[in-house]
Amino acid sequence: MAMTSTVPYLLRAINEWILDNNYTPYLIVDATVEGTEVPVDYVQDGQIVLNIGPQAIRNLVMANEHVMFSGRFNGVAQEIYVPINAVLGLVTRENGEGMWFPKDEESPEPDPTEPDPPKTPP
């Protein structure tokens, strides 16, 4: 049985750490991942940076499968939905400290029909 992704757990911890230090958390998102709902006008090179500080957004949910919240962009309220596999990083606005996540954390499951690779002799 495969383990769940570590990303949502690390996201919650890093967000708490950033806020405890009175910094502003910025969520970096791959806007090209299917299911991602962000304002496309703010996407650059397939990515968007979202201020998820409590002063900037409402109703933040960091679940194991997604991050979602309500935010305002150019004065217009929008619901944001980011699948966990679209999260690239969580860093501070002030100094860039935080954590980046590998683009493809999930390694493919081994194909049970393929033989194991040969072992090299010691």
Side-chain angles (χ1 to χ4, degrees):
M1 178 178 196
M3 294 182 68
T4 58
S5 172
T6 57
V7 172
Y9 299 92
L10 294 170
L11 266 182
R12 291 187 287 265
I14 296 297
N15 189 54
E16 182 178 335
W17 171 72
I18 290 171
L19 294 174
D20 283 353
N21 283 281
N22 296 313
Y23 284 88
T24 308
Y26 273 14
L27 186 70
I28 297 87
V29 175
D30 179 347
T32 65
V33 171
E34 187 175 337
T36 303
E37 296 175 22
V38 295
V40 294
D41 292 348
Y42 297 89
V43 173
Q44 292 184 326
D45 298 324
Q47 296 181 7
I48 186 169
V49 178
L50 302 166
N51 177 348
I52 61 167
Q55 307 83 352
I57 64 167
R58 292 190 346 243
N59 305 324
L60 175 64
V61 174
M62 289 184 155
N64 288 352
E65 303 80 28
H66 63 267
V67 175
M68 57 188 252
F69 58 89
S70 299
R72 294 185 89 67
F73 295 84
N74 214 14
V76 178
Q78 286 196 252
E79 296 299 313
I80 305 302
Y81 182 89
V82 178
I84 283 298
N85 62 335
V87 174
L88 299 174
L90 182 61
V91 298
T92 66
R93 175 187 71 198
E94 292 80 4
N95 63 12
E97 290 289 321
M99 183 171 278
W100 291 90
F101 302 102
K103 178 65 177 121
D104 185 19
E105 184 193 65
E106 322 291 322
S107 57
E109 291 292 318
D111 183 346
T113 61
E114 286 190 29
D116 288 337
K119 302 227 185 314
T120 55

